[in-house]
């Protein structure tokens, strides 16, 4: 039996798992309200997906923009599956979050007179993407928030610690155990562990993005939803050793970069929503047998995309002189831990924010750069809600509970063959036969993804079923929900 000396038990108001954009901001919001926070950071900063985010924050800030227009674009991209209440919150609160981040010292790109420079990406009808250092937005934001978190005395950071299991007692999530034996008891636990796109072998994500938080939450009894809805980014670098899967931001297409087939012809509206662009590329690749299409950013100012240009040059491709070989890769999971509008999961005391969560806001196809905005908008809401439950106090686990917790298995990482099989059977176009083969996969999340994908017998947004090529209106606004107790059920969220 594991031994649990008292010194291994830490008490906090809020425990945050994950130190990407959503987790850091949640921790800082809680500390600002005088709460004590434990922040669990399994990976070094540069291995979080947020750090690599080249996109920015979508926010209706321009004179020709409005909340209504941002909402309309979000809903159009989301293919009749967007939860309107969540999207309304996002569009209304994103501008405030931009201002708050500025107040926290994040230096977004501004023009000569100090106005924010707004970029354009696919599916947006006007310019509304705020960047920091061009395509280095994630790095700039995460660095600044990490520096603040490190200085904040109310935040204790457990670096290198991994959450092994959530602790649930008397119907409430009351903390967690880490794989080094440390136990954190808290009034609220916020899961901010990012998404699961690295479960697919071809991905833009860092290797750790394998849905760890989803597995933790599901094992504790929280509901997950829409796991079949995995967005493929159209322009990941392919066939360049050392840079496989490297993302070339959609913002380059917003500035005029174009996509070309082998004969140099353009074949798609480069600024259509991502599901359309990815499908058009995939269809072309299947028809031609080619591995990649060419992305032409030769006419674009390289100074706006410094990390893209530097990374490609290092790998021997000069985007200022030649076309970049690109193809779609797994990028973002729209599904995740089911949450309400205050980021509450289905277990009291448990919250999920950022890509780990499923508010329903992205529907079946996320609008570019809505995700970073979502991290901040819903992290702030999670903390406001968590701290409003003043009657909830951290309680100490009994020795028996500690021993039971210590026995719980940590969420596993998928092996190479599982990741290959997800790419093969749950890729851009899926079939019932291929998905059924995933049902027996040993990796717990793989089978759950297959269950959701099999149940959605239609094509919608990022989910394309070969046998059901059309959208079926009877699935409009219906989310595939997997709870611990019941088989998959369909829910419509208000
Ligand atoms: C990109 O910059 O193209 C990716 C950002 C996002 O996924 O929204």
């Amino acid at each position: 039996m594991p031994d649990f000396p008292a010194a291994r038990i830490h008490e906090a108001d809020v425990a945050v798992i994950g130190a990407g954009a959503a987790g850091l901001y949640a921790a800082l919001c809680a500390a600002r309200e005088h709460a004590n926070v434990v922040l669990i950071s399994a990976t070094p900063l540069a291995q979080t997906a947020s750090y690599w985010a080249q996109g920015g924050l979508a926010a209706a800030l321009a004179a020709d923009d409005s909340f209504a227009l941002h909402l309309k674009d979000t809903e159009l991209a989301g293919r009749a599956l967007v939860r309107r209440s969540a999207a309304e919150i996002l569009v209304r609160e994103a501008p405030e979050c931009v201002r708050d981040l500025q107040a926290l010292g994040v230096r977004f790109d501004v023009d000569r007179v100090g106005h924010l420079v707004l970029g354009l990406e696919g599916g947006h009808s006007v310019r509304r993407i705020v960047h920091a250092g061009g395509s280095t937005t994630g790095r700039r934001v995460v660095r600044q928030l990490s520096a603040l978190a490190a200085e904040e005395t109310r935040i204790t950071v457990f670096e290198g610690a991994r959450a092994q299991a959530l602790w649930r007692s008397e119907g409430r999530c009351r903390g967690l155990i880490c794989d080094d034996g440390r136990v954190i008891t808290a009034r609220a636990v916020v899961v901010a562990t990012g998404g699961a796109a690295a479960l697919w072998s071809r991905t833009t994500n860092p290797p750790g993005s394998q849905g760890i938080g989803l597995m933790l939450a599901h094992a504790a009894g929280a509901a997950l939803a829409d796991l079949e809805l995995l967005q493929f980014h159209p322009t990941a670098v392919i066939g360049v050793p050392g840079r496989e899967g490297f993302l070339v931001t959609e913002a380059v297409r917003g500035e005029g970069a174009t996509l070309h087939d082998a004969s140099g012809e353009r074949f798609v509206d480069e600024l259509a929503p991502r599901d359309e662009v990815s499908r058009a590329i995939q269809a072309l690749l299947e028809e031609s047998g080619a591995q990649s299409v060419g992305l032409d950013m030769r006419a674009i100012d390289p100074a706006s995309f410094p990390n893209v240009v530097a990374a490609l040059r290092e790998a021997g491709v000069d985007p200022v002189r030649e076309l970049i070989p690109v193809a779609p890769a797994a990028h973002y999971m729209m599904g995740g831990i089911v949450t309400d509008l205050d980021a509450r999961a289905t277990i009291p005391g448990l919250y999920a924010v950022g890509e780990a969560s499923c508010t329903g806001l992205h529907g079946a196809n996320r609008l570019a750069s809505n995700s970073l905005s979502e991290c901040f908008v819903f992290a702030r809401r999670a903390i406001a809600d968590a701290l409003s439950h003043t009657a909830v106090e951290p309680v100490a686990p009994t020795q028996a509970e500690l021993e039971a917790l210590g026995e719980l298995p940590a969420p596993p990482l998928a092996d190479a063959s599982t990741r290959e099989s997800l790419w093969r059977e749950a890729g851009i176009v899926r079939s019932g036969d291929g998905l059924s083969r995933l049902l027996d996969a040993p990796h717990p999340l793989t089978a759950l993804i297959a269950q959701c994908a099999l149940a959605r017998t239609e094509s919608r947004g990022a989910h394309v079923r070969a046998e059901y090529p059309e959208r079926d209106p009877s699935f409009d606004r219906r989310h595939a929900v997997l709870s611990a107790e019941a088989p998959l059920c369909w829910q419509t969220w208000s």
Side-chain angles (χ1 to χ4, degrees):
M1 286 288 177
D3 185 22
F4 288 98
R8 304 291 279 165
I9 301 180
H10 302 261
E11 188 183 300
D13 294 309
V14 181
V16 180
I17 312 174
L24 286 165
Y25 191 64
L28 288 165
C29 287
R32 197 150 61 179
E33 298 302 320
H34 310 290
N36 290 317
V37 182
V38 167
L39 175 63
I40 293 133
S41 171
T43 45
L45 198 57
Q47 283 172 30
T48 64
S50 306
Y51 183 87
W52 289 102
Q54 295 176 21
L57 283 82
L61 289 158
D64 60 349
D65 202 357
S66 65
F67 298 149
L69 200 52
H70 189 181
L71 180 65
K72 187 171 161 212
D73 290 346
T74 301
E75 289 196 305
L76 258 179
R79 313 299 186 201
L81 200 66
V82 167
R83 182 191 200 170
R84 177 168 296 171
S85 53
E88 273 172 353
I89 286 172
L90 178 93
V91 301
R92 287 184 181 282
E93 298 184 12
E96 267 166 63
C97 283
V98 170
R99 287 188 277 273
D100 189 36
L101 288 167
Q102 287 180 303
L104 289 172
V106 175
R107 297 213 324 272
F108 290 115
D109 298 341
V110 291
D111 62 18
R112 272 175 303 170
V113 287
H115 295 142
L116 286 167
V117 175
L118 299 172
L120 186 65
E121 291 183 359
H124 290 273
S125 50
V126 296
R127 289 187 168 266
R128 64 164 74 94
I129 320 297
V130 179
H131 285 101
S135 52
T136 60
T137 307
R139 187 179 305 183
R140 286 263 191 110
V141 171
V142 169
R143 266 192 193 155
Q144 177 63 10
L145 299 187
S146 309
L148 295 175
E151 280 166 14
E152 172 56 65
T153 52
R154 290 194 180 86
I155 301 177
T156 305
V157 184
F158 288 173
E159 255 174 357
R162 282 172 196 281
Q164 175 176 324
L166 299 177
W167 172 39
R168 185 178 172 169
S169 165
E170 291 170 2
R172 192 175 178 88
C173 182
R174 298 186 183 274
L176 67 138
I177 183 165
C178 296
D179 63 357
D180 60 5
R182 280 186 281 197
V183 171
I184 297 122
T185 68
R187 290 159 58 190
V189 175
V190 180
V191 176
T193 46
L199 280 175
W200 279 254
S201 55
R202 186 188 289 174
T203 180
T204 61
N205 282 211
S209 297
Q210 294 199 13
I212 303 297
L214 278 61
M215 288 185 270
L216 287 170
H218 193 61
L224 307 180
D226 293 346
L227 302 184
E228 76 283 19
L229 299 176
L230 188 280
Q231 182 169 68
F232 296 89
H233 195 288
T235 58
V237 171
I238 223 76
V240 177
R243 283 286 170 238
E244 285 302 301
F246 179 77
L247 183 92
V248 183
T249 175
E250 189 157 321
V252 301
R253 283 177 275 134
E255 296 308 315
T258 46
L259 286 163
H260 299 263
D261 66 14
S263 57
E265 294 299 317
R266 287 175 67 187
F267 57 92
V268 66
D269 168 5
E270 287 87 354
L271 285 177
R274 275 183 196 165
D275 55 349
E276 267 179 70
V277 183
S278 286
R279 266 201 311 276
I281 298 175
Q282 187 65 15
L284 190 92
L285 297 181
E286 271 163 24
E287 196 185 294
S288 65
Q291 292 295 307
S292 58
V293 297
L295 175 65
D296 187 354
M297 58 176 283
R298 288 174 297 183
I300 311 294
D301 178 5
S304 301
F305 303 99
N307 51 344
V308 174
V309 173
L312 289 172
R313 279 189 175 148
E314 250 173 52
V317 178
D318 188 350
V320 172
R321 295 174 194 281
E322 57 193 314
L323 269 54
I324 309 159
V326 294
H331 180 60
Y332 185 92
M333 186 166 262
M334 272 79 69
I337 302 166
V338 174
T339 54
D340 69 6
L341 302 179
D342 287 315
R344 289 184 289 212
T346 54
I347 303 175
L350 182 65
Y351 296 76
V353 293
E355 194 177 343
S357 69
C358 179
T359 60
L361 133 70
H362 304 302
N365 178 51
R366 176 177 62 90
L367 185 67
S369 287
N370 266 357
S371 46
L372 210 45
S373 304
E374 180 197 28
C375 286
F376 302 115
V377 166
F378 284 91
R380 203 163 62 152
R381 287 186 151 252
I383 294 304
D385 188 84
L387 298 182
S388 72
H389 299 281
T390 45
V392 178
E393 287 297 333
V395 293
T398 63
Q399 186 62 26
E401 281 175 317
L402 286 172
E403 285 169 5
L405 260 179
E407 300 288 326
L408 291 173
L413 288 179
D415 60 17
S417 92
T418 303
R419 296 180 64 233
E420 282 300 332
S421 62
L422 266 160
W423 177 254
R424 197 174 51 246
E425 316 292 11
I428 298 172
V429 180
R430 296 106 183 251
S431 74
D433 284 351
L435 291 169
S436 300
R437 284 192 279 277
L438 296 176
L439 288 174
D440 296 328
H443 189 269
L445 210 48
T446 305
L448 298 180
I449 291 166
Q451 274 180 42
C452 292
L454 280 164
R456 191 173 284 284
T457 49
E458 63 157 355
S459 292
R460 180 184 298 265
H463 173 71
V464 179
R465 286 285 302 267
E467 325 82 317
Y468 304 99
E470 303 300 327
R471 193 194 298 180
D472 175 350
S474 72
F475 284 105
D476 280 3
R477 298 183 207 297
R478 296 182 80 202
H479 301 273
V481 177
L482 292 160
S483 63
E485 311 80 42
L488 185 147
C489 71
W490 293 98
Q491 291 181 0
T492 299
W493 298 337
S494 51

